[in-house]
Amino acid sequence: MSNKVTVSASSNGGSSGKFEKRSMMDEIRSFEKDGFFDLGHPLLNRITHSFIKVAGIGAIQAVSREAYFTAIDGVGIDSGSANGNGAKRRNTFSDLRGETSRKSVEALVKHTGKESFQWGLAAGVFSGLTYGLKEARGYHDWKNSAVAGALTGMTLALTSEDTTHEQVVQSAITGAAIATAANMLTGTF
């Protein structure tokens, strides 16, 4: 069974004209190209689509990490054990072990929302900056990626608690390096 959608492409608004048959999969693929909504400007569309897509990934990552810590604690393994270099791993979800399950769920939602926002912010800032730099300079190269990565790294560092100057600089350098490497490796593999 094939689900076909018939769309009239008549320029005069009438029912006569060319007909295009599109399957349901064609409709879904058009969402991947065009997005789910249009905010009126390609820059806004790009930032919003990136934010939404990656924020969802951040939420999944945060919930998965909590599920891992819950499973480890249930087995009896110390979740604060050394991570190989002798330093104790900081448990991001330490306050999830509330007195009631309601406090635990509230803490999980709070941490998941924060992490989701950070991931979405990183994607939106990077995507918006690369688009803006491409439009301003007329082409896209590793320099656009380096600048966008550095500014994204700085933005992310500023969203964490107790940020120091060194953390901001280190995050900017790391962001620039990762973005530049990703740009240079695009199409290599």
Side-chain angles (χ1 to χ4, degrees), residues 16-166:
S16 63
K18 297 179 183 178
F19 289 97
E20 175 185 346
K21 293 188 178 193
R22 297 176 61 174
S23 69
M24 185 63 95
M25 286 306 295
D26 291 334
E27 292 293 325
I28 292 171
R29 285 187 194 110
S30 74
F31 283 129
E32 292 174 3
K33 286 189 293 186
D34 302 332
F36 293 111
F37 45 86
D38 184 11
L39 298 176
H41 193 277
L43 176 62
L44 294 175
N45 293 341
R46 183 177 209 140
I47 291 169
T48 306
H49 293 155
S50 297
F51 181 92
I52 290 171
K53 289 176 183 177
V54 177
I57 294 168
I60 291 168
Q61 187 266 346
V63 171
S64 299
R65 183 176 52 221
E66 174 53 24
Y68 166 77
F69 285 132
T70 302
I72 294 298
D73 290 346
V75 173
I77 300 172
D78 182 18
S79 64
S81 62
N83 62 5
N85 62 3
K88 291 267 186 180
R89 181 171 30 109
R90 185 178 66 110
N91 186 352
T92 312
F93 295 97
S94 60
D95 59 338
L96 290 181
R97 312 297 183 264
E99 296 155 7
T100 65
S101 59
R102 181 179 176 143
K103 287 184 180 179
S104 295
V105 171
E106 288 173 359
L108 175 65
V109 169
K110 177 184 168 189
H111 286 289
T112 301
K114 180 181 177 182
E115 192 133 344
S116 177
F117 176 76
Q118 287 176 326
W119 280 62
L121 178 69
V125 168
F126 182 77
S127 181
L129 285 170
T130 54
Y131 178 85
L133 289 168
K134 178 183 175 189
E135 292 296 310
R137 295 181 67 220
Y139 54 92
H140 180 74
D141 61 0
W142 68 270
K143 296 172 191 172
N144 292 358
S145 295
V147 170
L151 292 172
T152 301
M154 288 172 51
T155 304
L156 276 179
L158 293 172
T159 63
S160 54
E161 298 172 14
D162 301 327
T163 305
T164 65
H165 177 267
E166 290 80 19

Side-chain angles (χ1 to χ4, degrees), residues 8 10-17:
S8 175
S10 174
S11 61
N12 62 6
S15 61
S16 63

